[in-house]
Amino acid sequence: ILLILFELLHLKHQMHLMIKKSHHLILNIDPQNSSVNYKTGLIYYNRKNYVQAYKHFEKVVSLYPFDYDGLIMFAWTNYQIGKPKEAKALFKRVMLLSPNDKSALEGLTLIK
């Protein structure tokens, strides 16, 4: 059973590397690809690499300034890298799109 678990972990790691490589190749061809920038930002955010996530979410928000998903993740990323003023402004923008949004409200509460 341990051998099977080890093999599954290895396969999972290999898949992550393939996804990362494919995202990198797509962004080399199309650096404005908002979908790949968003997904890459999520990968970096979930790995707590907020500086790298910031670059990708910033691109998404610059392309689609009223996209809820991009805005909320960019807000949280700003919060995580110690930019409360920017995060607060972004959380407020999210609230304009989605009044009473729980995630944005949580962010605003943490900043106050």
Side-chain angles (χ1 to χ4, degrees):
I1 293 178
L2 287 176
L3 184 60
I4 293 170
L5 287 174
F6 177 76
E7 190 64 30
L8 288 172
L9 287 173
H10 179 71
L11 288 173
K12 182 180 176 183
H13 178 71
Q14 292 299 319
M15 285 188 62
H16 282 241
L17 291 175
M18 288 175 33
I19 291 168
K20 185 178 178 182
K21 186 175 181 177
S22 67
H23 285 185
H24 180 72
L25 290 171
I26 292 168
L27 292 175
N28 278 338
I29 295 166
D30 181 12
Q32 308 287 26
N33 187 308
S34 63
S35 178
V36 174
N37 272 297
Y38 179 77
K39 291 173 185 171
T40 303
L42 282 179
I43 290 168
Y44 283 123
Y45 187 90
N46 288 325
R47 292 182 179 168
K48 298 184 183 345
N49 187 341
Y50 303 117
V51 173
Q52 287 297 321
Y54 179 94
K55 296 174 187 178
H56 293 281
F57 292 133
E58 180 180 41
K59 177 72 74 173
V60 172
V61 171
S62 72
L63 293 168
Y64 296 98
F66 300 105
D67 175 68
Y68 169 84
D69 295 318
L71 279 173
I72 195 69
M73 289 310 301
F74 195 39
W76 279 111
T77 303
N78 273 273
Y79 175 79
Q80 294 292 349
I81 63 173
K83 293 185 168 187
K85 182 179 175 184
E86 293 85 348
K88 186 175 186 177
L90 289 161
F91 285 129
K92 286 183 176 184
R93 282 175 57 188
V94 170
M95 297 296 290
L96 292 173
L97 297 173
S98 179
N100 300 316
D101 183 82
K102 289 181 183 181
S103 183
L105 286 170
E106 179 184 350
L108 289 169
T109 301
L110 290 172
I111 292 170
K112 291 182 181 181

